[in-house]
Structures are given as structure tokens and as C-alpha cells.
Amino acid sequence: MAEINVYNRYYAARLEYNGVMRHGVSVLLISNSENGNIKYDVAASFFPHESDDDFSISYDAYFSRTVYQSSGRRSKKREEELIKNLRTEIDMLSEQVGGEVFWNQPLSEERRG
């Protein structure tokens, strides 16, 4: 299986989870391809971010959801459409666990793969 982080960026956030306050989130669009099938997941991994250089990801506050699955392969056009809808999808994931992403406060540049 080939797993690729199509999009990744860190943002300021707020979530209390497992008794730990989280102030940052890693937002991802991940593609998985295997045996002629493609799947895209959106994911949010909330982490403490207690200082400007604290990007230590904690894996207990990781939430994901499949947003596309079909036979075929990666498509740049499809990926651009999924990235356009990324905020809505991540907001829905965050709301389910009581978190919030501050989209106007990026903590890093976006990375695409």
C-alpha cells in the first residue's frame, strides 16, 4: 500500500482530550492506493503545542474519516477538490470531539506530496 500525505499543515487549535489541553493540530489529506484502488482520508491530530517550537505530535488525539474511495488512481483534479473541502471536513471531525481549529492562525507552511 502506498500512503502519501497529499496535504499537511499545522494550525493553532483548542481541544481538551484525555485530560490534556491541546493548542495545535496537524491537518492532513492522505491518499492510500493498493491493487488499483484509491482512498482519501482527512485527519486531524491535536497536540499540546506548549511553546512556539513544540510540535511533538501525540497519537491519542488523532481523528480521521474516509472522504473518497473508488477503483482507480490518484488524480490531481480530485485532490484539489478534496483540499477545497478540507476545512469543512476537519471542522466536522473537530466538532465531534469538542475541538476547534483556528484556520486564520497557521503554525507552519502547507506541505503537499
Side-chain angles (χ1 to χ4, degrees), residues 45-111:
S45 183
F46 290 86
F47 59 100
H49 193 60
E50 295 175 353
S51 66
D52 289 342
D53 60 346
D54 177 16
F55 288 91
S56 56
I57 300 294
S58 49
Y59 295 97
D60 64 333
Y62 178 90
F63 311 97
S64 67
R65 177 172 109 67
T66 299
V67 291
Y68 181 87
Q69 188 168 358
S70 180
S71 61
R73 55 184 172 195
R74 285 184 70 186
S75 161
K76 293 291 182 188
K77 184 177 177 180
R78 182 181 310 117
E79 289 175 359
E80 287 303 317
E81 190 64 31
L82 292 170
I83 289 170
K84 284 181 189 175
N85 295 321
L86 188 63
R87 286 185 182 197
T88 301
E89 296 291 341
I90 294 297
D91 283 342
M92 287 190 310
L93 274 178
S94 300
E95 286 174 16
Q96 291 174 355
V97 295
E100 182 177 6
V101 176
F102 302 115
W103 297 106
N104 61 343
Q105 297 177 39
L107 300 174
S108 72
E109 297 297 319
E110 74 176 41
R111 290 180 282 193

